[in-house]
């Protein structure tokens, strides 16, 4: 259909140019010649003063996003447990007095007596050392989990940024297309009043205006919703209508290879690092469980005074662990440590799979967006411009012009979707490889 429209339009254009040289230009033709050029989705949308770039948005999210702030506070709380893990068992002081109101000579029965005991439990099996090791390993794992939370949150921020930027471009294109088509309807109205076209043709053209108005309204809704979503991710308690972003619509070309990104992911991905740290923490917990099965003696020193006599004594308590040797906790810790090894393998496999999937998404989306940017958009703009001129000069049927109009709208929408998908794939690949890919 595009080839037919283009062929007819070119022939009409030649005829119209010849007629134009022989006759004065009609008001309708002059009006059509003054129409604005077709909107191009490859041009970045206009931005308000103070509009934020992607890098600025990411920096604000790292500083103000409440999810990240909560994760950072949790890390500090986990690190504080290292202090508690290193404390030693407190001694116990006991003071006892009996018959303290009786005479000291014993005439009224037993003389008053006093006793002071100091008791302390002594840990064996390096329990304190293993508690510290377990707490430190847990801190390392929690720190990696914090970085993974940041990775996922920044991915959400980048996706929201791109959604808002594409919505801005869609709204700008919708406004331009709506204004341009209203201009076209005004031309048709002039032609209808002049008897150049019939009522049916004019009303069919006028009906298409509703589609352009619908595109404009939907684009405005999408822009506002994406703006509010992005502001929420940046930690704003209330959304501002003046918030704006700026950036390129055409995605960049990545210089890294798939193998390089996979290796970077295995080195940098925080969820994989957290899985490896989980093995260390589980092994430390297993050693602590074994240590907790050892016997801890309790030593007590005592000073007694009865009447005028002083004495000292001691006491040793050693639990006889015939039955409870912490064997259940030992087995549980051993199995949990074994489980974490499989968890680490699963995390590694997921890392490589994430990179593979994101790479496929990027390469396919980039190829499509390049095809639109380098071929289809220019072609659709040419077809629409020629078809419009031909129709305005009476050399093209209305149905063919409406087909060209729909094709142009479809190409513009498809191009924006291709650019959006490419940007989303880049963000996904950046998160999957834990590498900042955007220059």
């Amino acid at each position: 259909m595009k080839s037919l429209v283009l062929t007819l339009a070119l022939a009409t254009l030649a005829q119209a140019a010849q007629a134009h040289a022989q006759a004065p230009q009609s008001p309708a033709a002059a009006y059509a010649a003054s129409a604005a050029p077709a909107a191009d989705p490859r041009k970045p949308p206009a931005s308000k003063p103070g509009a934020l770039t992607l890098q600025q948005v990411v920096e604000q999210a790292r500083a103000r996003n409440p999810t990240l702030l909560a994760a950072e506070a949790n890390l500090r709380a986990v690190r504080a447990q290292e202090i508690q893990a290193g404390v030693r068992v407190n001694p116990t002081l006991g003071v006892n007095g009996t018959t303290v109101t009786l005479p000291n000579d014993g005439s009224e029965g037993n003389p008053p007596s006093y006793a002071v005991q100091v008791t302390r439990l002594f840990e064996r099996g390096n329990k304190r050392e293993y508690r510290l090791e377990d707490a430190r390993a847990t801190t390392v794992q929690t720190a990696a989990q914090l970085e993974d939370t940041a990775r996922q949150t920044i991915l959400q921020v980048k996706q929201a940024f791109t959604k808002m930027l594409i919505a801005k471009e869609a709204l700008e294109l919708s406004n331009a297309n709506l204004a341009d088509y209203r201009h076209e309807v005004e031309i048709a109205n002039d032609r209808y009043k002049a008897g150049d076209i019939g009522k049916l043709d004019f009303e069919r053209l006028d009906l298409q205006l509703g589609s352009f108005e619908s595109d404009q309204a939907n684009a405005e809704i999408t822009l506002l919703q994406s703006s509010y979503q992005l502001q929420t991710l940046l930690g704003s308690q209330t959304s501002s209508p003046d918030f704006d972003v700026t950036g390129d619509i055409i995605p960049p070309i990545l210089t890294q290879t798939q193998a390089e990104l996979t290796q970077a992911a295995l080195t940098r991905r925080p969820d994989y690092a957290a899985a490896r740290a989980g093995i260390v923490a589980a092994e430390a917990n297993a050693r602590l469980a074994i240590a907790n099965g050892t016997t801890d003696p309790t030593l007590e020193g005592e000073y007694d005074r009865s009447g005028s006599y002083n004495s000292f004594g001691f006491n040793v308590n050693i639990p006889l662990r015939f039955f409870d040797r912490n064997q259940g906790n030992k087995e549980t810790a051993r199995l949990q440590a074994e489980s974490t090894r499989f968890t680490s393998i699963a995390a590694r496999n997921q890392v490589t799979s994430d990179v593979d999937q994101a790479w496929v998404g990027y390469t396919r989306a980039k190829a499509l967006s390049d095809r639109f940017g380098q071929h289809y958009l220019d072609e659709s703009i040419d077809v629409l411009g020629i078809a419009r001129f031909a129709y305005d000069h009476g050399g093209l049927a209305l149905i063919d012009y409406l087909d060209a109009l729909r094709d142009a709208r479809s190409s513009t929408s498809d191009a924006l979707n291709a650019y959006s998908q490419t940007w989303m794939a880049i963000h996904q690949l950046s998160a999957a490889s834990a590498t900042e890919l955007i220059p």
Side-chain angles (χ1 to χ4, degrees):
M1 180 60 70
K2 288 182 179 179
S3 299
L4 176 61
V5 172
L6 183 59
T7 302
L8 293 173
L10 287 172
T12 304
L13 182 59
Q15 296 173 1
Q18 183 178 2
H20 182 272
Q22 299 173 355
Q25 192 178 38
S26 67
Y31 203 53
S34 65
D40 191 341
R42 292 166 292 191
K43 298 178 181 178
S47 300
K48 301 176 183 177
L52 301 179
T53 64
L54 178 59
Q55 288 74 15
Q56 291 172 328
V57 165
V58 169
E59 290 173 1
Q60 286 196 16
R62 289 187 179 278
R64 295 164 41 191
N65 181 271
T67 301
L68 292 182
L69 295 178
E72 291 172 357
N74 178 66
L75 175 60
R76 292 191 293 270
V78 171
R79 184 174 286 116
Q81 287 298 307
E82 295 181 22
I83 301 174
Q84 186 61 33
V87 299
R88 302 179 185 276
V89 179
N90 290 320
T92 302
L93 173 66
V95 179
N96 183 36
T98 58
T99 63
V100 295
T101 60
L102 296 180
N104 196 34
D105 56 7
S107 60
E108 299 294 333
N110 293 329
S113 60
Y114 306 90
V116 178
Q117 301 96 16
V118 177
T119 306
R120 182 168 184 253
L121 181 142
F122 289 86
E123 291 184 320
R124 298 175 60 249
N126 296 323
K127 292 184 178 65
R128 178 174 176 271
E129 175 185 342
Y130 292 139
R131 280 199 307 271
L132 279 169
E133 182 182 2
D134 186 25
R136 289 165 181 163
T138 302
T139 299
V140 173
Q141 184 181 25
T142 305
Q145 291 170 345
L146 167 62
E147 288 301 315
D148 192 55
T149 300
R151 179 181 70 93
Q152 297 179 22
T153 301
I154 295 306
L155 173 60
Q156 294 177 354
V157 170
K158 289 180 177 180
Q159 291 173 335
F161 176 91
T162 296
K163 185 178 179 181
M164 181 178 177
L165 186 63
I166 295 297
K168 276 186 59 180
E169 180 72 9
L171 179 58
E172 189 170 283
L173 292 173
S174 298
N175 289 333
N177 289 334
L178 178 59
D180 190 32
Y181 193 72
R182 277 178 176 160
H183 181 88
E184 191 69 20
V185 171
E186 290 173 0
I187 295 175
N189 189 30
D190 291 342
R191 295 178 64 187
Y192 169 61
K193 291 178 180 179
D196 192 24
I197 62 174
K199 180 180 179 182
L200 178 61
D201 283 354
F202 170 70
E203 289 184 344
R204 291 185 67 182
L205 281 169
D206 192 51
L207 281 174
Q208 291 295 318
L209 191 60
S211 297
F212 286 93
E213 291 173 344
S214 177
D215 290 345
Q216 191 270 347
N218 291 334
E220 186 174 5
I221 292 172
T222 302
L223 175 58
L224 290 174
Q225 290 177 339
S226 58
S227 173
Y228 296 157
Q229 179 189 13
L230 180 56
Q231 292 181 67
T232 299
L233 289 171
L234 296 183
S236 300
Q237 296 183 359
T238 57
S239 299
S240 170
D242 296 327
F243 178 80
D244 196 14
V245 296
T246 183
D248 293 327
I249 295 297
I250 299 179
I253 299 175
L254 302 185
T255 58
Q256 297 87 345
T257 65
Q258 182 178 1
E260 291 172 344
L261 293 175
T262 299
Q263 185 58 46
L266 293 173
T267 304
R268 304 171 185 171
R269 272 279 288 264
D271 54 341
Y272 183 39
R276 298 197 306 271
I279 297 177
V280 177
E283 291 176 345
N285 187 58
R287 287 190 289 271
L288 178 60
I290 295 173
N292 286 336
T294 59
T295 299
D296 296 331
T298 302
L299 303 183
E300 177 183 322
E302 181 176 344
Y303 164 75
D304 294 291
R305 181 177 178 84
S306 179
S308 58
Y309 297 98
N310 298 317
S311 64
F312 295 90
F314 68 91
N315 186 30
V316 179
N317 291 316
I318 301 177
L320 301 179
R321 307 197 70 165
F322 295 135
F323 307 108
D324 179 9
R325 297 186 298 277
N326 206 40
Q327 55 267 44
N329 291 332
K330 291 177 184 177
E331 184 66 9
T332 298
R334 185 187 69 81
L335 294 174
Q336 288 176 340
E338 184 177 346
S339 174
T340 58
R341 296 187 186 95
F342 290 109
T343 300
S344 178
I345 294 174
R348 189 185 192 283
N349 295 340
Q350 189 62 54
V351 166
T352 57
S353 177
D354 288 348
V355 174
D356 292 342
Q357 294 180 58
W359 181 262
V360 169
Y362 164 71
T363 54
R364 301 305 184 271
K366 186 65 169 63
L368 182 60
S369 64
D370 287 347
R371 187 66 175 161
F372 271 100
Q374 299 168 10
H375 181 69
Y376 292 131
L377 283 175
D378 292 331
E379 188 175 61
S380 68
I381 291 173
D382 289 342
V383 169
L384 179 59
I386 295 171
R388 176 181 294 154
F389 186 86
Y391 174 73
D392 288 343
H393 289 76
L396 193 67
L398 175 62
I399 186 64
D400 293 328
Y401 171 63
L402 293 179
D403 284 342
L405 188 66
R406 281 191 292 269
D407 289 343
R409 288 176 61 202
S410 177
S411 294
T412 299
S413 176
D414 291 344
L416 267 185
N417 288 334
Y419 290 142
S420 176
Q421 290 299 320
T422 305
W423 274 112
M424 293 299 185
I426 290 175
H427 298 328
Q428 192 69 47
L429 188 57
S430 181
S433 62
T435 304
E436 187 54 65
L437 300 177
I438 300 175

